[in-house]
Amino acid sequence: MSQMNRRRALQLLAALGTTGFVAACGSDGDGESTADRGPIKIGLITPQAGGFKSIGDDITNGFQLFLDLHDQRLGGHPVELLTADEGDTAKTGKAAVEGLLKQGVLALTGVVNSAVMVGIRDTVEQARVPLIGSNASPSSLQSVFYIWRTSYVLDEAGRALGRYLRDQLPANGRVAIIMPENVGSPDVVRGFRQEFGATDPRISDPVTYTNATANPGKTTYASDITKALAKKPTVVFCFFAGAAAVEFIKQLREKFAGPIYAPGFLTEGTVLDNLKDNALGIQTALNYSADLNNTSNRVFASAYRKKYQVTPTTYAMASYDAAQVLDQAIQLTGGKPTPQQVNLALGKIGQIDSPRGIWQFNQPRTPQQKWYLREVQRDGQVMSNVLINELATLG
């Protein structure tokens, strides 16, 4: 089937709401019948418990959706998807990777926690098995050959919002910056200050760092919020995700009714369901919005909503794209791929037609992509992240 016809088939699938229609489509062959291509194993690493479990579920769902739409194949090969729990430390993440490597996986994907990603770096590089990370992407992850990321680099979210707020905030405004004390927060702060202006008096106050737990209690952030608000800021800039985002916003809203800005993880997925009216008006920067108007997103979002009965998140989208780049790379290797061949092929696939818009890997193996401004608004009885405009192309 030609690429154009295959894309049209997927569009029809989304429009008709069917699920098995693409079973005969598969990946395009390169002269070799896909029937001759043997099964491959892909390892999926996600948190399966705790505060980041919902993000892990989205990553699993996104990858599985791509397989559903491609007859459970990547590059024409039937896929056995093996899963492992990354836990919440470098030690548990390393154990997950080692367990999957022992099972002979062709490639790895997933990883939510930045601390886990840093902790497994050497294990992945020494194994010479490609990892297509679909979430965690600290800027400290440098000089890697086998680790690719379909998500972002954390400082980019800060840069996108720093540039925007610099122009929006009045001359007498003040920003309170509140972050969990974890691996990713310094990246976000650095990117924000870089674009806003490191010496700008509107952001001169020290950053308030909070407990980094993924499972906070109802008063975990109270004293830190009081401290950050002591100088009566005009706006708050913060960085939380999952269960931590829910508790932080609830506790912040008890003391602060002003504008809140953050990387988009603050309001992704189940967070909005739990926050309800507390989320209204929050503006975030992210590399994806479920209401983007392009063909790839219409196909993806429609199929995702039908299968999972929820709106897709950036986590699901990045995992869907991880499957997409693996599909293309494995296709380029021919009938008997090795991890090293797949890794080399990942550098040759060029532009990706993604639900987020067209993007491509840059030299550090992360996406060069657009960032968008979103605002939480009411859509009937539910809260939605509504696209406001484009902010920047970064990467």
Side-chain angles (χ1 to χ4, degrees):
M1 176 178 285
S2 72
Q3 186 68 22
M4 182 174 293
N5 287 341
R6 181 163 166 266
R7 186 176 292 120
R8 179 57 180 159
L10 290 178
Q11 293 173 12
L12 290 171
L13 165 68
L16 294 172
T18 58
T19 55
F21 177 71
V22 293
C25 297
S27 296
D28 296 341
D30 56 0
E32 176 186 7
S33 170
T34 56
D36 298 330
R37 299 192 172 190
I40 57 175
K41 296 177 180 179
I42 303 295
L44 177 64
I45 306 163
T46 61
Q48 297 175 7
F52 292 144
K53 180 181 183 299
S54 63
I55 299 175
D57 291 344
D58 286 353
I59 286 174
T60 300
N61 292 345
F63 200 93
Q64 186 58 59
L65 181 65
F66 187 91
L67 293 178
D68 291 349
L69 297 178
H70 295 80
D71 193 26
Q72 307 303 314
R73 293 174 180 263
L74 293 176
H77 295 262
V79 172
E80 181 182 359
L81 188 61
L82 307 176
T83 61
D85 185 0
E86 72 178 60
D88 54 10
T89 67
K91 182 178 180 179
T92 56
K94 184 177 179 181
V97 170
E98 290 173 341
L100 291 170
L101 292 174
K102 288 177 181 178
Q103 297 181 70
V105 294
L106 180 65
L108 300 161
T109 189
V111 188
V112 169
N113 192 320
S114 289
V116 170
M117 179 63 87
V118 172
I120 66 177
R121 176 195 187 279
D122 291 345
T123 302
V124 172
E125 293 289 306
Q126 291 166 11
R128 300 176 66 210
V129 173
L131 164 62
I132 297 83
S134 49
N135 188 60
S137 188
S139 63
S140 60
L141 200 67
Q142 299 288 336
S143 302
V144 289
F145 187 70
Y146 282 91
I147 298 178
W148 307 72
R149 286 148 285 171
T150 58
S151 50
Y152 46 78
V153 179
L154 275 175
D155 67 333
E156 294 171 355
R159 289 171 59 195
L161 274 172
R163 186 177 302 183
Y164 174 73
L165 267 180
R166 176 192 64 199
D167 298 330
Q168 295 294 316
L169 197 65
N172 61 348
R174 297 188 71 87
V175 181
I177 303 176
I178 310 176
M179 303 270 159
E181 194 167 11
N182 60 21
V183 172
S185 289
D187 287 346
V188 177
V189 173
R190 185 180 63 256
F192 183 78
R193 288 189 182 280
Q194 175 185 331
E195 294 294 335
F196 195 103
T199 61
D200 193 308
R202 295 175 294 176
I203 58 168
S204 60
D205 294 341
V207 178
T208 300
Y209 285 105
T210 73
N211 189 306
T213 178
N215 295 286
K218 295 186 181 303
T219 60
T220 297
Y221 305 116
S223 62
D224 291 321
I225 289 172
T226 298
K227 178 182 176 182
L229 298 179
K231 293 189 177 181
K232 302 188 182 306
T234 313
V235 306
V236 166
F237 174 59
C238 57
F239 169 58
F240 293 86
V246 174
E247 276 304 323
F248 174 77
I249 293 301
K250 284 182 177 179
Q251 293 171 40
L252 178 63
R253 281 304 192 203
E254 291 178 359
K255 302 177 180 180
F256 181 76
I260 299 172
Y261 296 87
F265 327 113
L266 185 75
T267 59
E268 278 292 274
T270 57
V271 172
L272 283 184
D273 295 335
N274 290 306
L275 283 176
K276 297 183 171 54
D277 286 355
N278 281 324
L280 278 174
I282 294 177
Q283 292 196 344
T284 61
L286 202 58
N287 60 344
Y288 175 67
S289 181
D291 56 352
L292 281 169
N293 186 21
N294 63 63
T295 300
S296 293
N297 190 48
R298 288 193 294 271
V299 171
F300 166 69
S302 176
Y304 195 93
R305 288 186 177 104
K306 177 169 180 58
K307 180 171 184 180
Y308 301 113
Q309 304 301 306
V310 293
T311 297
T313 62
T314 190
Y315 314 119
M317 178 278 298
S319 190
Y320 180 90
D321 274 2
Q324 182 173 194
V325 299
L326 275 173
D327 178 56
Q328 295 186 28
I330 293 169
Q331 182 69 42
L332 290 173
T333 66
K336 297 181 180 179
T338 67
Q340 295 76 35
Q341 289 173 336
V342 172
N343 195 66
L344 288 173
L346 285 164
K348 301 176 182 178
I349 57 179
Q351 292 188 329
I352 308 300
D353 186 6
S354 165
R356 77 186 82 175
I358 299 294
W359 67 272
Q360 62 186 20
F361 284 119
N362 56 22
Q363 189 174 4
R365 289 164 159 69
T366 61
Q368 182 180 46
Q369 61 188 331
K370 290 181 178 179
W371 284 79
Y372 305 94
L373 181 69
R374 314 174 314 164
E375 181 176 289
V376 178
Q377 299 178 6
R378 190 184 303 280
D379 182 10
Q381 297 300 311
V382 300
M383 300 295 171
S384 296
N385 289 297
V386 177
L387 178 67
I388 302 300
N389 55 43
E390 292 181 11
L391 289 174
T393 296
L394 300 172

